[in-house]
Amino acid sequence: MKSMTLETAKHVIKAAEQKAKELRISQVIAIVDEGGNFTACHRMDDAWLASIDIAQNKAWTAVAMRMPTSHLAHLAAPHAELYGINTTNHGRVVVFGGGIPLVREGRIVGAVGVSGSTVANDVEVAKAAVHAFESYASHMPQARRLDWAWIP
């Protein structure tokens, strides 16, 4: 797998939603590709509307910073090296847990962002998504290259 596909995103979202249901919470689960571009987003019934942007921004941050958003918490604290980073990039940088890169063969191919509950729950649901991605991606063949030779 060389890039995030809608099929993969749907599989990852399904696993994350199942974990949220086990926790009896409603979440928004967002998936972006390796460039931080929107791939898919799912808002469970009764999930907060504000969580839509937060989940998408967590996924974007995880790709843009190449790390889980939870790693930014201590770096962005007052007097820390990255204090104020959350005010950059038009406020898209999220500095608390719930965004995790999706890595295949050592390369970030996308990210998941989860919002709608406590940070601990958001992280737990995001980790379920990552686990589903890793299991799913390991069984997927390499991405096919498009053959444009047929185009006149």
Side-chain angles (χ1 to χ4, degrees):
M1 174 186 305
K2 300 259 186 208
S3 63
M4 180 58 60
T5 65
L6 179 58
E7 179 184 342
T8 302
K10 287 163 61 173
H11 177 78
V12 169
I13 287 171
K14 183 177 179 181
E17 181 180 14
Q18 182 59 42
K19 184 57 156 181
K21 286 179 179 179
E22 289 173 18
L23 296 172
R24 297 178 178 219
I25 54 177
S26 293
Q27 302 267 215
V28 175
I29 303 129
I31 306 294
V32 298
D33 68 12
E34 69 277 3
N37 302 300
F38 179 87
T39 301
C41 186
H42 178 68
R43 178 178 169 257
M44 295 174 65
D45 292 342
D46 298 320
W48 298 331
L49 291 175
S51 292
I52 297 168
D53 282 344
I54 296 168
Q56 290 178 8
N57 287 341
K58 285 181 180 184
W60 182 86
T61 300
V63 166
M65 301 301 290
R66 297 179 181 210
M67 67 177 75
T69 56
S70 60
H71 291 183
L72 290 170
H74 72 280
L75 295 171
H79 308 292
E81 186 174 355
L82 296 180
Y83 178 66
I85 193 167
N86 57 305
T87 64
T88 67
N89 295 280
H90 304 287
R92 287 191 81 181
V93 177
V94 178
V95 296
F96 49 90
I100 304 176
L102 300 172
V103 179
R104 178 75 175 130
E105 297 176 356
R107 183 174 160 263
I108 294 174
V109 297
V112 60
V114 178
S115 181
S117 185
T118 64
V119 171
N121 283 342
D122 291 355
V123 169
E124 191 170 344
V125 172
K127 284 182 177 180
V130 170
H131 179 71
F133 172 78
E134 290 171 347
S135 297
Y136 188 73
S138 68
H139 294 96
M140 293 292 294
Q142 293 295 325
R144 292 176 289 150
R145 292 189 170 211
L146 295 177
D147 181 7
W148 296 101
W150 60 270
I151 297 176

